[in-house]
Amino acid sequence: MSEPLIPISKKVSSQNSTSVIKLPCYVAGKAIESEKVLEVRSPYDNRLVGTVTLANAAHAEEAIETALKGGQKLSRYERYVILEKTRQLLTERKEEFAQVISAESGLAIREARYETGRAHDVLMFAAIEALKDDGQIFSCDISPSGKARKIFTLREPLSLAVCITPFNHPLNQVIHKIAPAIAVGTPVILKPSEKTPLTAVKLVELLYEAGLPHYMLSVLLGPTREIAESLVKDSRVEIVSFTGSVAVGKHIAATAGYKKVILELGGNDPLIVMEDADLDKAVFLAAEGAFRNSGQRCTAVKRILVHEKIKDAFVEKFVAKAKEYTSGDPADDNTKVGTVIDEAAAIYLETVVKKSVEQGAKVLLDGKRKGALLGPTVIVDVPRNAEMVVQESFGPLAPILTFKDIDDAIALSNSTAYGLSSGIVTNNMEYALRFVKELKVGTVNINEVPGYRIESSPFGGIKDSGLGVKEGVIEAMKCFTYVKTFSMPW
């Protein structure tokens, strides 16, 4: 039986003569037809960027049944070829993808281009790992009660995964879940963010084009109760991989039932600048960590913790550096900081800054909100109980707090409900080792931003940042499989 044809993404002209992308959702490669569509508008100027045809409960059921019915089973080499072909296609169309990312999310085009490079790496590593076998062999004659046998392990794919992704990094967040699943042969139903769905659907089309059997992947958007909640609760789904807010993640954990649940729930990551730090390096890392991607990263620098002895010198250099991160039209190559995801998010950020000022903080650089556009904002003397540092502030805010010594720095860093990552700026090995041992986070980066990693390395947090289960290509491949053992006489 031949697989359904995949329609090419359509573009039509809107009233203001800009290109509008029209996309469907897909059930195992079959385009959904419906009069209900989701409009996707630019956070920068509210223009219509594209539309996506919405799915319903019947489509969710069909996606589950089709995935479980299955089809052609892919060898390791065939999975490698599909992922490698997708990587090649993405490389050829990286500018097209970057433009869509920037248009629907408001990210600066330079950040969108960077994201396509990260997605390239995910596909490359997943393809490489698809060729590897991490099976183990255990000899059984190693104890007085043993015998002449050997036990072998192998990995089997799970029958079905549901992957739910957020609006930030609309390409890389999606490929970080889909590529490892494909690498091990686990079918996926993808539910991307309604705020940035165009990139996700285009990526699904790219995977179909690369030869992925259609039963292996569906992409659905629609009413929460009919799509997301029904998929999460369905007992036929063996794993839910979710990246998003703490509230939604904990709701998924409470309602998913007897299945694997992988949660990446954001962070409140500190950059800790010790008194011996290279100030120029510290300032650069603080600015990159706080302002890149409009501050909308779970691993962005959300708190800058500076030793009180060097506060004044650091602040002077940092404010000057922050002014270099120009905000404006995301499509402009010279723009470094685009919008946050929508005006409501920008208003919230503006509000928490005002609240901190009421508590005694001082704004040294005002981002001056205009709609969803909020430029880099530097705040000093921020109280330790201010909302903007206790909760995750998802935007280009740079609150600066001081500490008196390493004990105080560790206590301050550990004082929030989050535990994703951290960055330390120091040349003192004793300091570095203490931070590695005592910070309650999933990652400690010395002389680097909290978010640094490669796409194949383990990544994840503890506390309200997650359950301690890591992602990253290699760890995610383990999550999308189970280990089978067998033994034989030897």
Side-chain angles (χ1 to χ4, degrees), residues 271-279 281-282 285 307 310 403 406 423-436 444-448:
L271 183 76
I272 302 173
V273 183
M274 298 303 292
E275 75 274 16
D276 71 308
D278 179 326
L279 270 188
K281 176 180 287 186
L285 294 176
H307 196 289
I310 60 168
F403 59 87
I406 188 170
I424 315 297
V425 191
T426 183
N427 292 309
N428 184 316
M429 182 60 73
E430 290 185 9
Y431 283 167
L433 289 175
R434 277 201 64 187
F435 283 119
V436 169
V444 179
N445 285 330
I446 308 300
N447 290 324
E448 187 52 271

PDB file of all heavy atoms in Angstrom, residues 271-279 281-282 285 307 310 403 406 423-436 444-448:
ATOM      1  N   LEU A 271      24.513  33.242  36.948  1.00  0.00           N
ATOM      2  CA  LEU A 271      25.926  33.368  36.596  1.00  0.00           C
ATOM      3  C   LEU A 271      26.582  33.960  37.833  1.00  0.00           C
ATOM      4  O   LEU A 271      26.232  35.065  38.261  1.00  0.00           O
ATOM      5  CB  LEU A 271      26.134  34.280  35.387  1.00  0.00           C
ATOM      6  CG  LEU A 271      27.604  34.382  34.953  1.00  0.00           C
ATOM      7  CD1 LEU A 271      28.026  33.114  34.202  1.00  0.00           C
ATOM      8  CD2 LEU A 271      27.861  35.614  34.089  1.00  0.00           C
ATOM      9  N   ILE A 272      27.504  33.204  38.417  1.00  0.00           N
ATOM     10  CA  ILE A 272      28.139  33.609  39.677  1.00  0.00           C
ATOM     11  C   ILE A 272      29.542  34.134  39.375  1.00  0.00           C
ATOM     12  O   ILE A 272      30.386  33.409  38.841  1.00  0.00           O
ATOM     13  CB  ILE A 272      28.203  32.424  40.659  1.00  0.00           C
ATOM     14  CG1 ILE A 272      26.788  31.884  40.922  1.00  0.00           C
ATOM     15  CG2 ILE A 272      28.879  32.851  41.962  1.00  0.00           C
ATOM     16  CD1 ILE A 272      26.754  30.615  41.753  1.00  0.00           C
ATOM     17  N   VAL A 273      29.766  35.388  39.710  1.00  0.00           N
ATOM     18  CA  VAL A 273      31.036  36.051  39.395  1.00  0.00           C
ATOM     19  C   VAL A 273      31.813  36.241  40.693  1.00  0.00           C
ATOM     20  O   VAL A 273      31.456  37.056  41.553  1.00  0.00           O
ATOM     21  CB  VAL A 273      30.787  37.412  38.713  1.00  0.00           C
ATOM     22  CG1 VAL A 273      32.121  38.055  38.314  1.00  0.00           C
ATOM     23  CG2 VAL A 273      29.873  37.254  37.497  1.00  0.00           C
ATOM     24  N   MET A 274      32.901  35.453  40.832  1.00  0.00           N
ATOM     25  CA  MET A 274      33.707  35.513  42.042  1.00  0.00           C
ATOM     26  C   MET A 274      34.657  36.711  41.999  1.00  0.00           C
ATOM     27  O   MET A 274      34.888  37.315  40.946  1.00  0.00           O
ATOM     28  CB  MET A 274      34.483  34.215  42.220  1.00  0.00           C
ATOM     29  CG  MET A 274      33.586  32.984  42.377  1.00  0.00           C
ATOM     30  SD  MET A 274      32.405  33.119  43.750  1.00  0.00           S
ATOM     31  CE  MET A 274      33.520  33.074  45.164  1.00  0.00           C
ATOM     32  N   GLU A 275      35.254  37.031  43.152  1.00  0.00           N
ATOM     33  CA  GLU A 275      36.086  38.237  43.253  1.00  0.00           C
ATOM     34  C   GLU A 275      37.362  38.139  42.415  1.00  0.00           C
ATOM     35  O   GLU A 275      37.968  39.162  42.078  1.00  0.00           O
ATOM     36  CB  GLU A 275      36.429  38.542  44.713  1.00  0.00           C
ATOM     37  CG  GLU A 275      37.488  37.642  45.352  1.00  0.00           C
ATOM     38  CD  GLU A 275      36.898  36.360  45.938  1.00  0.00           C
ATOM     39  OE1 GLU A 275      35.748  36.009  45.601  1.00  0.00           O
ATOM     40  OE2 GLU A 275      37.601  35.697  46.731  1.00  0.00           O
ATOM     41  N   ASP A 276      37.770  36.908  42.058  1.00  0.00           N
ATOM     42  CA  ASP A 276      38.991  36.726  41.275  1.00  0.00           C
ATOM     43  C   ASP A 276      38.713  36.635  39.773  1.00  0.00           C
ATOM     44  O   ASP A 276      39.620  36.395  38.989  1.00  0.00           O
ATOM     45  CB  ASP A 276      39.710  35.446  41.720  1.00  0.00           C
ATOM     46  CG  ASP A 276      38.958  34.203  41.289  1.00  0.00           C
ATOM     47  OD1 ASP A 276      37.739  34.118  41.574  1.00  0.00           O
ATOM     48  OD2 ASP A 276      39.557  33.332  40.639  1.00  0.00           O
ATOM     49  N   ALA A 277      37.478  36.836  39.378  1.00  0.00           N
ATOM     50  CA  ALA A 277      37.082  36.603  37.990  1.00  0.00           C
ATOM     51  C   ALA A 277      37.751  37.583  37.031  1.00  0.00           C
ATOM     52  O   ALA A 277      38.047  38.730  37.384  1.00  0.00           O
ATOM     53  CB  ALA A 277      35.565  36.733  37.861  1.00  0.00           C
ATOM     54  N   ASP A 278      37.960  37.108  35.805  1.00  0.00           N
ATOM     55  CA  ASP A 278      38.329  37.982  34.695  1.00  0.00           C
ATOM     56  C   ASP A 278      37.085  38.808  34.371  1.00  0.00           C
ATOM     57  O   ASP A 278      36.094  38.276  33.858  1.00  0.00           O
ATOM     58  CB  ASP A 278      38.761  37.119  33.504  1.00  0.00           C
ATOM     59  CG  ASP A 278      39.142  37.934  32.284  1.00  0.00           C
ATOM     60  OD1 ASP A 278      38.536  38.997  32.055  1.00  0.00           O
ATOM     61  OD2 ASP A 278      40.003  37.484  31.511  1.00  0.00           O
ATOM     62  N   LEU A 279      37.128  40.108  34.650  1.00  0.00           N
ATOM     63  CA  LEU A 279      35.927  40.940  34.519  1.00  0.00           C
ATOM     64  C   LEU A 279      35.415  41.014  33.087  1.00  0.00           C
ATOM     65  O   LEU A 279      34.201  40.988  32.852  1.00  0.00           O
ATOM     66  CB  LEU A 279      36.196  42.348  35.046  1.00  0.00           C
ATOM     67  CG  LEU A 279      35.917  42.605  36.526  1.00  0.00           C
ATOM     68  CD1 LEU A 279      36.053  44.087  36.844  1.00  0.00           C
ATOM     69  CD2 LEU A 279      34.537  42.109  36.922  1.00  0.00           C
ATOM     70  N   LYS A 281      35.669  38.776  30.758  1.00  0.00           N
ATOM     71  CA  LYS A 281      35.007  37.505  30.462  1.00  0.00           C
ATOM     72  C   LYS A 281      33.658  37.437  31.164  1.00  0.00           C
ATOM     73  O   LYS A 281      32.654  37.011  30.576  1.00  0.00           O
ATOM     74  CB  LYS A 281      35.885  36.330  30.896  1.00  0.00           C
ATOM     75  CG  LYS A 281      35.221  34.969  30.716  1.00  0.00           C
ATOM     76  CD  LYS A 281      36.143  33.843  31.156  1.00  0.00           C
ATOM     77  CE  LYS A 281      37.262  33.648  30.168  1.00  0.00           C
ATOM     78  NZ  LYS A 281      38.106  32.458  30.492  1.00  0.00           N
ATOM     79  N   ALA A 282      33.616  37.844  32.415  1.00  0.00           N
ATOM     80  CA  ALA A 282      32.371  37.799  33.174  1.00  0.00           C
ATOM     81  C   ALA A 282      31.299  38.669  32.544  1.00  0.00           C
ATOM     82  O   ALA A 282      30.127  38.263  32.431  1.00  0.00           O
ATOM     83  CB  ALA A 282      32.623  38.236  34.619  1.00  0.00           C
ATOM     84  N   LEU A 285      30.054  36.978  29.273  1.00  0.00           N
ATOM     85  CA  LEU A 285      29.194  35.829  29.541  1.00  0.00           C
ATOM     86  C   LEU A 285      27.841  36.264  30.090  1.00  0.00           C
ATOM     87  O   LEU A 285      26.802  35.693  29.737  1.00  0.00           O
ATOM     88  CB  LEU A 285      29.883  34.876  30.514  1.00  0.00           C
ATOM     89  CG  LEU A 285      31.145  34.179  30.010  1.00  0.00           C
ATOM     90  CD1 LEU A 285      31.772  33.342  31.122  1.00  0.00           C
ATOM     91  CD2 LEU A 285      30.851  33.305  28.794  1.00  0.00           C
ATOM     92  N   HIS A 307      30.257  39.096  43.414  1.00  0.00           N
ATOM     93  CA  HIS A 307      30.902  39.329  44.712  1.00  0.00           C
ATOM     94  C   HIS A 307      30.891  40.823  45.014  1.00  0.00           C
ATOM     95  O   HIS A 307      31.184  41.652  44.150  1.00  0.00           O
ATOM     96  CB  HIS A 307      32.336  38.801  44.692  1.00  0.00           C
ATOM     97  CG  HIS A 307      32.934  38.652  46.047  1.00  0.00           C
ATOM     98  ND1 HIS A 307      33.301  39.732  46.827  1.00  0.00           N
ATOM     99  CD2 HIS A 307      33.231  37.541  46.793  1.00  0.00           C
ATOM    100  CE1 HIS A 307      33.801  39.305  47.974  1.00  0.00           C
ATOM    101  NE2 HIS A 307      33.760  37.971  47.979  1.00  0.00           N
ATOM    102  N   ILE A 310      33.651  43.409  43.899  1.00  0.00           N
ATOM    103  CA  ILE A 310      33.859  43.837  42.515  1.00  0.00           C
ATOM    104  C   ILE A 310      32.576  44.342  41.864  1.00  0.00           C
ATOM    105  O   ILE A 310      32.537  44.549  40.646  1.00  0.00           O
ATOM    106  CB  ILE A 310      34.451  42.693  41.666  1.00  0.00           C
ATOM    107  CG1 ILE A 310      33.500  41.488  41.650  1.00  0.00           C
ATOM    108  CG2 ILE A 310      35.828  42.296  42.161  1.00  0.00           C
ATOM    109  CD1 ILE A 310      33.881  40.440  40.610  1.00  0.00           C
ATOM    110  N   PHE A 403      26.811  39.097  46.723  1.00  0.00           N
ATOM    111  CA  PHE A 403      27.026  38.156  47.824  1.00  0.00           C
ATOM    112  C   PHE A 403      28.361  38.479  48.476  1.00  0.00           C
ATOM    113  O   PHE A 403      29.219  39.151  47.875  1.00  0.00           O
ATOM    114  CB  PHE A 403      26.986  36.710  47.320  1.00  0.00           C
ATOM    115  CG  PHE A 403      28.021  36.387  46.269  1.00  0.00           C
ATOM    116  CD1 PHE A 403      29.302  35.983  46.629  1.00  0.00           C
ATOM    117  CD2 PHE A 403      27.722  36.501  44.916  1.00  0.00           C
ATOM    118  CE1 PHE A 403      30.262  35.689  45.674  1.00  0.00           C
ATOM    119  CE2 PHE A 403      28.664  36.200  43.939  1.00  0.00           C
ATOM    120  CZ  PHE A 403      29.940  35.801  44.323  1.00  0.00           C
ATOM    121  N   ILE A 406      31.807  32.759  49.222  1.00  0.00           N
ATOM    122  CA  ILE A 406      31.350  31.594  48.470  1.00  0.00           C
ATOM    123  C   ILE A 406      30.196  30.879  49.175  1.00  0.00           C
ATOM    124  O   ILE A 406      29.286  30.374  48.509  1.00  0.00           O
ATOM    125  CB  ILE A 406      32.512  30.615  48.181  1.00  0.00           C
ATOM    126  CG1 ILE A 406      32.032  29.505  47.223  1.00  0.00           C
ATOM    127  CG2 ILE A 406      33.105  30.065  49.459  1.00  0.00           C
ATOM    128  CD1 ILE A 406      33.139  28.629  46.681  1.00  0.00           C
ATOM    129  N   GLY A 423      26.386  28.982  35.757  1.00  0.00           N
ATOM    130  CA  GLY A 423      27.690  29.347  35.224  1.00  0.00           C
ATOM    131  C   GLY A 423      28.506  30.008  36.320  1.00  0.00           C
ATOM    132  O   GLY A 423      27.966  30.786  37.115  1.00  0.00           O
ATOM    133  N   ILE A 424      29.792  29.685  36.379  1.00  0.00           N
ATOM    134  CA  ILE A 424      30.681  30.228  37.409  1.00  0.00           C
ATOM    135  C   ILE A 424      31.853  30.902  36.713  1.00  0.00           C
ATOM    136  O   ILE A 424      32.446  30.313  35.801  1.00  0.00           O
ATOM    137  CB  ILE A 424      31.233  29.118  38.330  1.00  0.00           C
ATOM    138  CG1 ILE A 424      30.130  28.136  38.752  1.00  0.00           C
ATOM    139  CG2 ILE A 424      31.952  29.739  39.525  1.00  0.00           C
ATOM    140  CD1 ILE A 424      29.019  28.738  39.556  1.00  0.00           C
ATOM    141  N   VAL A 425      32.187  32.115  37.135  1.00  0.00           N
ATOM    142  CA  VAL A 425      33.362  32.790  36.578  1.00  0.00           C
ATOM    143  C   VAL A 425      34.394  32.915  37.686  1.00  0.00           C
ATOM    144  O   VAL A 425      34.227  33.692  38.635  1.00  0.00           O
ATOM    145  CB  VAL A 425      33.010  34.173  36.005  1.00  0.00           C
ATOM    146  CG1 VAL A 425      34.198  34.710  35.187  1.00  0.00           C
ATOM    147  CG2 VAL A 425      31.768  34.106  35.124  1.00  0.00           C
ATOM    148  N   THR A 426      35.454  32.124  37.573  1.00  0.00           N
ATOM    149  CA  THR A 426      36.521  32.110  38.576  1.00  0.00           C
ATOM    150  C   THR A 426      37.748  31.436  37.995  1.00  0.00           C
ATOM    151  O   THR A 426      37.647  30.618  37.068  1.00  0.00           O
ATOM    152  CB  THR A 426      36.076  31.361  39.855  1.00  0.00           C
ATOM    153  OG1 THR A 426      37.120  31.433  40.829  1.00  0.00           O
ATOM    154  CG2 THR A 426      35.802  29.890  39.568  1.00  0.00           C
ATOM    155  N   ASN A 427      38.900  31.758  38.558  1.00  0.00           N
ATOM    156  CA  ASN A 427      40.137  31.056  38.220  1.00  0.00           C
ATOM    157  C   ASN A 427      40.653  30.244  39.403  1.00  0.00           C
ATOM    158  O   ASN A 427      41.770  29.728  39.371  1.00  0.00           O
ATOM    159  CB  ASN A 427      41.207  32.068  37.767  1.00  0.00           C
ATOM    160  CG  ASN A 427      40.854  32.701  36.445  1.00  0.00           C
ATOM    161  OD1 ASN A 427      40.547  32.009  35.484  1.00  0.00           O
ATOM    162  ND2 ASN A 427      40.877  34.034  36.400  1.00  0.00           N
ATOM    163  N   ASN A 428      39.815  30.130  40.430  1.00  0.00           N
ATOM    164  CA  ASN A 428      40.189  29.429  41.659  1.00  0.00           C
ATOM    165  C   ASN A 428      39.616  28.009  41.611  1.00  0.00           C
ATOM    166  O   ASN A 428      38.403  27.821  41.631  1.00  0.00           O
ATOM    167  CB  ASN A 428      39.636  30.205  42.856  1.00  0.00           C
ATOM    168  CG  ASN A 428      40.053  29.628  44.183  1.00  0.00           C
ATOM    169  OD1 ASN A 428      40.019  28.416  44.385  1.00  0.00           O
ATOM    170  ND2 ASN A 428      40.425  30.497  45.116  1.00  0.00           N
ATOM    171  N   MET A 429      40.501  27.020  41.548  1.00  0.00           N
ATOM    172  CA  MET A 429      40.051  25.640  41.425  1.00  0.00           C
ATOM    173  C   MET A 429      39.256  25.183  42.651  1.00  0.00           C
ATOM    174  O   MET A 429      38.291  24.426  42.521  1.00  0.00           O
ATOM    175  CB  MET A 429      41.251  24.716  41.214  1.00  0.00           C
ATOM    176  CG  MET A 429      40.866  23.255  41.031  1.00  0.00           C
ATOM    177  SD  MET A 429      39.793  22.984  39.585  1.00  0.00           S
ATOM    178  CE  MET A 429      41.002  23.204  38.265  1.00  0.00           C
ATOM    179  N   GLU A 430      39.632  25.636  43.828  1.00  0.00           N
ATOM    180  CA  GLU A 430      38.887  25.261  45.028  1.00  0.00           C
ATOM    181  C   GLU A 430      37.454  25.788  44.951  1.00  0.00           C
ATOM    182  O   GLU A 430      36.499  25.093  45.321  1.00  0.00           O
ATOM    183  CB  GLU A 430      39.585  25.787  46.282  1.00  0.00           C
ATOM    184  CG  GLU A 430      40.904  25.073  46.572  1.00  0.00           C
ATOM    185  CD  GLU A 430      41.517  25.524  47.895  1.00  0.00           C
ATOM    186  OE1 GLU A 430      40.834  26.250  48.656  1.00  0.00           O
ATOM    187  OE2 GLU A 430      42.670  25.151  48.153  1.00  0.00           O
ATOM    188  N   TYR A 431      37.300  27.025  44.493  1.00  0.00           N
ATOM    189  CA  TYR A 431      35.953  27.562  44.294  1.00  0.00           C
ATOM    190  C   TYR A 431      35.181  26.686  43.305  1.00  0.00           C
ATOM    191  O   TYR A 431      34.022  26.307  43.542  1.00  0.00           O
ATOM    192  CB  TYR A 431      36.018  28.983  43.732  1.00  0.00           C
ATOM    193  CG  TYR A 431      36.365  30.071  44.718  1.00  0.00           C
ATOM    194  CD1 TYR A 431      36.706  31.351  44.261  1.00  0.00           C
ATOM    195  CD2 TYR A 431      36.330  29.861  46.092  1.00  0.00           C
ATOM    196  CE1 TYR A 431      37.010  32.383  45.139  1.00  0.00           C
ATOM    197  CE2 TYR A 431      36.645  30.883  46.985  1.00  0.00           C
ATOM    198  CZ  TYR A 431      36.985  32.147  46.494  1.00  0.00           C
ATOM    199  OH  TYR A 431      37.280  33.161  47.363  1.00  0.00           O
ATOM    200  N   ALA A 432      35.811  26.398  42.174  1.00  0.00           N
ATOM    201  CA  ALA A 432      35.137  25.638  41.119  1.00  0.00           C
ATOM    202  C   ALA A 432      34.646  24.292  41.636  1.00  0.00           C
ATOM    203  O   ALA A 432      33.505  23.886  41.381  1.00  0.00           O
ATOM    204  CB  ALA A 432      36.076  25.447  39.929  1.00  0.00           C
ATOM    205  N   LEU A 433      35.491  23.591  42.382  1.00  0.00           N
ATOM    206  CA  LEU A 433      35.121  22.276  42.889  1.00  0.00           C
ATOM    207  C   LEU A 433      33.977  22.367  43.903  1.00  0.00           C
ATOM    208  O   LEU A 433      33.087  21.525  43.924  1.00  0.00           O
ATOM    209  CB  LEU A 433      36.336  21.595  43.516  1.00  0.00           C
ATOM    210  CG  LEU A 433      37.410  21.143  42.520  1.00  0.00           C
ATOM    211  CD1 LEU A 433      38.624  20.592  43.256  1.00  0.00           C
ATOM    212  CD2 LEU A 433      36.859  20.118  41.556  1.00  0.00           C
ATOM    213  N   ARG A 434      33.998  23.392  44.721  1.00  0.00           N
ATOM    214  CA  ARG A 434      32.902  23.543  45.680  1.00  0.00           C
ATOM    215  C   ARG A 434      31.570  23.777  44.968  1.00  0.00           C
ATOM    216  O   ARG A 434      30.542  23.228  45.349  1.00  0.00           O
ATOM    217  CB  ARG A 434      33.190  24.704  46.646  1.00  0.00           C
ATOM    218  CG  ARG A 434      34.078  24.312  47.818  1.00  0.00           C
ATOM    219  CD  ARG A 434      33.897  25.291  48.971  1.00  0.00           C
ATOM    220  NE  ARG A 434      32.548  25.258  49.527  1.00  0.00           N
ATOM    221  CZ  ARG A 434      32.101  26.115  50.446  1.00  0.00           C
ATOM    222  NH1 ARG A 434      32.910  27.085  50.897  1.00  0.00           N
ATOM    223  NH2 ARG A 434      30.873  26.022  50.917  1.00  0.00           N
ATOM    224  N   PHE A 435      31.585  24.609  43.949  1.00  0.00           N
ATOM    225  CA  PHE A 435      30.349  24.864  43.203  1.00  0.00           C
ATOM    226  C   PHE A 435      29.846  23.584  42.531  1.00  0.00           C
ATOM    227  O   PHE A 435      28.654  23.282  42.546  1.00  0.00           O
ATOM    228  CB  PHE A 435      30.556  25.963  42.165  1.00  0.00           C
ATOM    229  CG  PHE A 435      30.570  27.348  42.728  1.00  0.00           C
ATOM    230  CD1 PHE A 435      31.690  28.160  42.611  1.00  0.00           C
ATOM    231  CD2 PHE A 435      29.463  27.843  43.394  1.00  0.00           C
ATOM    232  CE1 PHE A 435      31.703  29.439  43.131  1.00  0.00           C
ATOM    233  CE2 PHE A 435      29.457  29.130  43.922  1.00  0.00           C
ATOM    234  CZ  PHE A 435      30.587  29.932  43.791  1.00  0.00           C
ATOM    235  N   VAL A 436      30.755  22.820  41.928  1.00  0.00           N
ATOM    236  CA  VAL A 436      30.358  21.567  41.289  1.00  0.00           C
ATOM    237  C   VAL A 436      29.696  20.639  42.304  1.00  0.00           C
ATOM    238  O   VAL A 436      28.685  19.996  42.028  1.00  0.00           O
ATOM    239  CB  VAL A 436      31.576  20.884  40.636  1.00  0.00           C
ATOM    240  CG1 VAL A 436      31.231  19.458  40.200  1.00  0.00           C
ATOM    241  CG2 VAL A 436      32.057  21.699  39.427  1.00  0.00           C
ATOM    242  N   VAL A 444      26.841  22.430  35.992  1.00  0.00           N
ATOM    243  CA  VAL A 444      27.685  23.525  36.455  1.00  0.00           C
ATOM    244  C   VAL A 444      28.751  23.763  35.386  1.00  0.00           C
ATOM    245  O   VAL A 444      29.549  22.865  35.093  1.00  0.00           O
ATOM    246  CB  VAL A 444      28.362  23.205  37.807  1.00  0.00           C
ATOM    247  CG1 VAL A 444      29.245  24.377  38.243  1.00  0.00           C
ATOM    248  CG2 VAL A 444      27.330  22.885  38.870  1.00  0.00           C
ATOM    249  N   ASN A 445      28.755  24.954  34.801  1.00  0.00           N
ATOM    250  CA  ASN A 445      29.745  25.297  33.777  1.00  0.00           C
ATOM    251  C   ASN A 445      30.726  26.318  34.342  1.00  0.00           C
ATOM    252  O   ASN A 445      30.316  27.403  34.775  1.00  0.00           O
ATOM    253  CB  ASN A 445      29.056  25.874  32.531  1.00  0.00           C
ATOM    254  CG  ASN A 445      28.369  24.803  31.698  1.00  0.00           C
ATOM    255  OD1 ASN A 445      28.815  23.663  31.672  1.00  0.00           O
ATOM    256  ND2 ASN A 445      27.306  25.168  31.021  1.00  0.00           N
ATOM    257  N   ILE A 446      32.003  25.979  34.327  1.00  0.00           N
ATOM    258  CA  ILE A 446      33.029  26.873  34.839  1.00  0.00           C
ATOM    259  C   ILE A 446      33.539  27.761  33.713  1.00  0.00           C
ATOM    260  O   ILE A 446      33.934  27.281  32.651  1.00  0.00           O
ATOM    261  CB  ILE A 446      34.196  26.083  35.462  1.00  0.00           C
ATOM    262  CG1 ILE A 446      33.678  25.073  36.504  1.00  0.00           C
ATOM    263  CG2 ILE A 446      35.214  27.041  36.077  1.00  0.00           C
ATOM    264  CD1 ILE A 446      32.931  25.694  37.661  1.00  0.00           C
ATOM    265  N   ASN A 447      33.526  29.079  33.950  1.00  0.00           N
ATOM    266  CA  ASN A 447      33.954  30.081  32.969  1.00  0.00           C
ATOM    267  C   ASN A 447      33.205  29.932  31.639  1.00  0.00           C
ATOM    268  O   ASN A 447      33.790  29.976  30.552  1.00  0.00           O
ATOM    269  CB  ASN A 447      35.466  30.024  32.764  1.00  0.00           C
ATOM    270  CG  ASN A 447      36.229  30.532  33.969  1.00  0.00           C
ATOM    271  OD1 ASN A 447      35.788  31.476  34.644  1.00  0.00           O
ATOM    272  ND2 ASN A 447      37.353  29.910  34.285  1.00  0.00           N
ATOM    273  N   GLU A 448      31.893  29.741  31.774  1.00  0.00           N
ATOM    274  CA  GLU A 448      31.024  29.617  30.601  1.00  0.00           C
ATOM    275  C   GLU A 448      29.599  29.947  31.025  1.00  0.00           C
ATOM    276  O   GLU A 448      29.288  29.965  32.224  1.00  0.00           O
ATOM    277  CB  GLU A 448      31.128  28.188  30.033  1.00  0.00           C
ATOM    278  CG  GLU A 448      30.414  27.943  28.708  1.00  0.00           C
ATOM    279  CD  GLU A 448      30.779  28.929  27.633  1.00  0.00           C
ATOM    280  OE1 GLU A 448      30.086  29.974  27.580  1.00  0.00           O
ATOM    281  OE2 GLU A 448      31.719  28.689  26.861  1.00  0.00           O
TER     282      GLU A 448
END
